[in-house]
Amino acid sequence: MSLPSVPGLCFLLSLSGAEAQVAKGPCNRCPLHGSCVNSTHCTCNPGFISGSGKQFFTYPLEICKDIDECKPPISIYCGLNAECKNVEGSFHCRCIPGYALLSGDVQFNNSNENTCQNITSSKTPNGHPELQQIVNNFESLLTNQTFWGAGSKQEVASTASSILQNVESKVLETALRAPGQKIQKVQNSTVAVETRVVSDNCSEEREAFRLHTQMNSMVIHCIDVIQGRAQGPSAVAFVSYASLGNVLNATFFEKADEKDPLYLNSQVVSAAVAPRRNSSLSQSVTLTFQNLKMKPSSRKAFCVYWKITEAGGHWSRDGCFLTQVNQSHTVCNSTHLSSFAVLVAFTSQDEDPVLDIITCVGLGVSLLCLVLAALTFLLCRAIQNTSTSLHLQLSLCLLLAHLLFLTAIDRTQPKVLCAVIAGALHYLYLAAFTWMLLEGLFLFLTARNLTVVNYSSVNKLMKWLRFPVGYGAPAVIVAISAAARPHLYGTPARCWLRLDQGFIWGFLGPVCAIILVNLVFFLSVLWLLRKKLSSLNSEVSTIQNTRMLTLKATAQVLILGCTWCLGVLQVGPAGQVLAYLFTIINSLQGFFIFLVYCLLSQQVRKQYRKWFSDVTKSKSKSEIQTLSSRLGPDLKLSE
């Protein structure tokens, strides 16, 4: 056997040394609860996850944090009369108070090992069996299909509303009669209940309670449980109904449409507090539902509550907002307490393929027109002035906003990226409206100073004011909104502002204010021009040009600004028509700017003709030179 050559041996030694260094490096730097893989990477041990979410990593400052298997999206189910307890790196199941395993063990691993049985003990308060009896009494009623099938739809709704109210009342009364037992939790095959009693004031201002029944949970703030009571206990109850969704199905939705079928994708749950049955909250309650059907489309799911009416009741979306959807769970926020569920549409109610096509085509045309308009404002010297500079900045803001909307509005994952996209769109559209406000201010100052020969004061003011206001004011608004409620940037379906908690008014408020101020500016300009037209015969052309520019700017504000009002008014029977008007007009904003400020401008058309003539002459001259270079010798010979 021949030995390897010296260069080859050196190569092998260096390679093995490099491998030893690689193996030594990452494995010595694996974090706590982490281990080495293939001598090249680190990974977190079972029950832990890396801070970055990556399975394999080499970053030396990475950490491995515990996975809470008892909370969504995992939410281990331990079976009846048991609950999940998280421990570092793992979890276990334990019977709830008043129950114990037949084997005498304290804990078990999964629902298949659940043998939790009711025990009789002097330590168990009397309220616990009483609560179990209430649950058992309603079980037979809820599972009686003959009873529910005998009545009309209105009778079923009325009966269900009465049952929901009775369960809440009896459960809360039972909990308040045993204030010494702060937490009570019982369930059977149909109903699951957890109650919590608060005997004193909230220890912390932001203290919140988490109630868990079956695979559903609720987080409510302590201040909303006690409701300002200085004395006496208060209670909160969370109830899950396993079979009530078969009765109060999606046909009870107030806006049910046969063309767009719905189905209930969660159990029905109820949340209530006592002794004051106040349904309003100072802070939203968070509800987490286990999906009955896995992998629902996030764009098709929405949260509803049971609204009791004189006709019985129905599912309504008022005050309920979708927060998050994954393969196993749906998270909702609500501004009031009631009974809740999650509905899913087989085909999304909010999507229309025709609107999608109109949006894509319209935005494509707008992007092209905005590019042409920006180039015109930059290159056409005949129209370059302060007003044109304002048009240019407006065009650039709309160009970037439309481009980002077209390419990234649907990128809802990861959430941080979606929130950044929503914040960028918020900023760009606000900046566009701010530049429109500056246009109105410039026209007003110009009209007011028409009697002055030197307009330098207006131009100097605008040069000093435009960039700090045009780009600074929107940045301040977005910064305040992001600092106050960063979690409301990005929705499960779109990277835009959420509608809950009035957050959308962080955009619509400034827009409406700008539209109103600009309308006042433009009406004032028209009045000033009408007043000065009779006294300044030598400046008639200047006044008429200013008037025409004002009319164009007014139309611009109406078309670019009022379309957002159409977006807000998409309700009722005319909602579909307004949706089409909003989409068509809003997607063609760039085309409108190019049409008004470029194609309808005599100076710009003259410049376009000049450019076209220069290009034609240059092309003709180039062709003649090319032809003569090819046929030059022949031509000379013929001469």
Side-chain angles (χ1 to χ4, degrees), residues 434-467:
T434 307
W435 283 107
M436 282 192 282
L437 176 64
L438 291 174
E439 287 187 359
L441 175 62
F442 172 74
L443 288 172
F444 174 75
L445 294 176
T446 301
R448 194 188 65 175
N449 296 326
L450 275 176
T451 55
V452 181
V453 178
N454 185 6
Y455 299 97
S456 59
S457 59
V458 176
N459 292 329
K460 288 181 179 179
L461 176 64
M462 294 306 300
K463 287 181 180 180
W464 176 83
L465 192 67
R466 55 185 177 180
F467 286 106

Side-chain angles (χ1 to χ4, degrees), residues 209-230:
F209 303 129
R210 183 183 184 87
L211 287 79
H212 192 283
T213 57
Q214 294 178 343
M215 300 296 287
N216 309 305
S217 65
M218 175 186 70
V219 176
I220 185 171
H221 291 269
C222 178
I223 195 69
D224 289 317
V225 178
I226 64 175
Q227 301 180 51
R229 287 171 54 84

Side-chain angles (χ1 to χ4, degrees), residues 221-288:
H221 291 269
C222 178
I223 195 69
D224 289 317
V225 178
I226 64 175
Q227 301 180 51
R229 287 171 54 84
Q231 297 178 348
S234 300
V236 56
F238 185 58
V239 187
S240 294
Y241 303 90
S243 59
L244 189 58
N246 298 328
V247 179
L248 300 181
N249 52 38
T251 60
F252 285 90
F253 183 50
E254 61 180 344
K255 297 180 181 178
D257 188 353
E258 295 180 358
K259 298 180 181 179
D260 198 8
L262 306 170
Y263 67 90
L264 206 67
N265 199 39
S266 72
Q267 294 180 347
V268 177
V269 303
S270 294
V273 294
R276 296 181 182 177
R277 298 300 299 274
N278 185 6
S279 60
S280 61
L281 302 170
S282 62
Q283 301 184 59
S284 297
V285 62
T286 301
L287 301 159
T288 303

Side-chain angles (χ1 to χ4, degrees), residues 528-584:
L528 288 172
L529 295 179
R530 180 177 177 275
K531 182 179 179 181
K532 294 183 178 181
L533 186 61
S534 58
S535 59
L536 296 175
N537 295 326
S538 60
E539 297 291 336
V540 168
S541 61
T542 303
I543 295 177
Q544 289 178 342
N545 290 335
T546 306
R547 174 184 289 180
M548 181 58 64
L549 189 60
T550 304
L551 292 176
K552 289 181 179 180
T554 306
Q556 169 187 292
V557 169
L558 292 175
I559 293 180
L560 301 188
C562 294
T563 51
W564 292 98
C565 299
L566 294 176
V568 176
L569 297 174
Q570 292 178 27
V571 294
Q576 190 72 9
V577 177
L578 292 175
Y580 275 90
L581 287 175
F582 172 77
T583 303
I584 293 172

Side-chain angles (χ1 to χ4, degrees), residues 353-572:
V354 178
L355 289 178
D356 291 339
I357 294 173
I358 293 174
T359 300
C360 293
V361 174
L363 288 180
V365 173
S366 280
L367 289 174
L368 176 61
C369 292
L370 286 170
V371 171
L372 295 176
L375 291 175
T376 301
F377 296 146
L378 283 171
L379 301 178
C380 186
R381 296 182 178 180
I383 62 170
Q384 286 183 354
N385 50 39
T386 303
S387 179
T388 304
S389 176
L390 297 176
H391 300 335
L392 174 62
Q393 301 305 321
L394 170 63
S395 301
L396 292 177
C397 289
L398 283 178
L399 175 64
L400 295 175
H402 287 348
L403 184 61
L404 185 61
F405 182 94
L406 193 62
T407 57
I409 190 67
D410 294 328
R411 297 183 181 273
T412 56
Q413 296 296 333
K415 292 182 182 178
V416 175
L417 177 61
C418 184
V420 171
I421 293 171
L425 286 173
H426 187 193
Y427 173 76
L428 289 172
Y429 281 122
L430 279 182
F433 279 97
T434 307
W435 283 107
M436 282 192 282
L437 176 64
L438 291 174
E439 287 187 359
L441 175 62
F442 172 74
L443 288 172
F444 174 75
L445 294 176
T446 301
R448 194 188 65 175
N449 296 326
L450 275 176
T451 55
V452 181
V453 178
N454 185 6
Y455 299 97
S456 59
S457 59
V458 176
N459 292 329
K460 288 181 179 179
L461 176 64
M462 294 306 300
K463 287 181 180 180
W464 176 83
L465 192 67
R466 55 185 177 180
F467 286 106
V469 174
Y471 291 114
V476 172
I477 296 174
V478 174
I480 294 174
S481 301
R485 296 173 180 174
H487 60 286
L488 296 182
Y489 276 102
T491 71
R494 294 285 187 271
C495 296
W496 183 235
L497 310 186
R498 293 185 183 274
L499 300 179
D500 47 322
Q501 302 182 33
F503 190 64
I504 189 64
W505 287 102
F507 172 72
L508 291 180
V511 167
C512 293
I514 288 172
I515 292 174
L516 292 177
V517 172
N518 260 354
L519 287 177
V520 172
F521 276 154
F522 298 151
L523 292 176
S524 301
V525 169
L526 292 176
W527 181 78
L528 288 172
L529 295 179
R530 180 177 177 275
K531 182 179 179 181
K532 294 183 178 181
L533 186 61
S534 58
S535 59
L536 296 175
N537 295 326
S538 60
E539 297 291 336
V540 168
S541 61
T542 303
I543 295 177
Q544 289 178 342
N545 290 335
T546 306
R547 174 184 289 180
M548 181 58 64
L549 189 60
T550 304
L551 292 176
K552 289 181 179 180
T554 306
Q556 169 187 292
V557 169
L558 292 175
I559 293 180
L560 301 188
C562 294
T563 51
W564 292 98
C565 299
L566 294 176
V568 176
L569 297 174
Q570 292 178 27
V571 294

Side-chain angles (χ1 to χ4, degrees), residues 96 126-129 131 174-176 178-179 181-186 193-197:
I96 62 176
N126 295 329
H128 191 99
L131 188 62
T174 304
L176 289 174
Q181 188 171 5
K182 290 188 176 182
I183 299 177
Q184 296 189 54
K185 191 170 184 179
V186 297
V193 178
E194 181 175 351
T195 63
R196 186 180 186 102
V197 177

